[in-house]
Amino acid sequence: FVESGATFLFDFASSIGAPQEDRTIAAWAVTPATVAKRDVAYQRGFPLARGPEGQAVDRGHLIPHLSGGLFGPNMFRQNRALNRGWSAQGRQYRALERSAAANPGALYFGHLMYNDCSAYPSEIETGLLVGTELVVNRYNNRPTRGD
């Protein structure tokens, strides 16, 4: 389905009685030239429990806000250090998001991978196609202590 300029692949498994949570699988969008101001109150109103090993998590955006991503199916449980660029992988993750925002008309996409029935992805794959240059990276979203 399409929402707010992005196309989403969503798994409604629970609607057919599967033991798994409904969850976003992938999303893609063409990056816009301008974006609306972020509604920070929306995100702050819904705190998330820490990860299974006590890690802090954020409400990540599969399509970054600066590339037109909004809320709803675009949001997922994301490791805080990765989302905020506080780790080596996080710096790489944020650099690709910034590159997407700096290239209006580029194709940005994200793929969430799961290793259980929850809606908490274990890995995130993101990519950016600018002209003929394609960059794709994969990130660990559920690191254990010491990762």
Side-chain angles (χ1 to χ4, degrees), residues 33-89:
T34 60
V35 294
K37 186 176 177 181
R38 183 187 297 250
D39 180 0
V40 294
Y42 179 92
Q43 282 184 263
R44 285 187 186 141
F46 299 93
L48 287 173
R50 290 186 169 273
E53 292 195 6
Q55 315 91 315
V57 295
D58 283 344
R59 275 188 176 63
H61 290 73
L62 191 52
I63 302 298
H65 174 74
L66 290 175
S67 293
L70 296 178
F71 302 112
N74 190 44
M75 296 179 76
F76 65 97
R77 195 172 181 186
Q78 186 174 18
N79 176 272
R80 183 166 290 165
L82 177 62
N83 187 42
R84 298 183 184 192
W86 295 346
S87 64
Q89 282 196 41

Side-chain angles (χ1 to χ4, degrees), residues 118-137:
S118 76
Y120 184 11
S122 56
E123 293 182 283
I124 305 164
E125 188 173 58
T126 60
L128 178 63
L129 177 63
V130 179
T132 60
E133 184 179 343
L134 176 64
V135 176
V136 179
N137 296 317

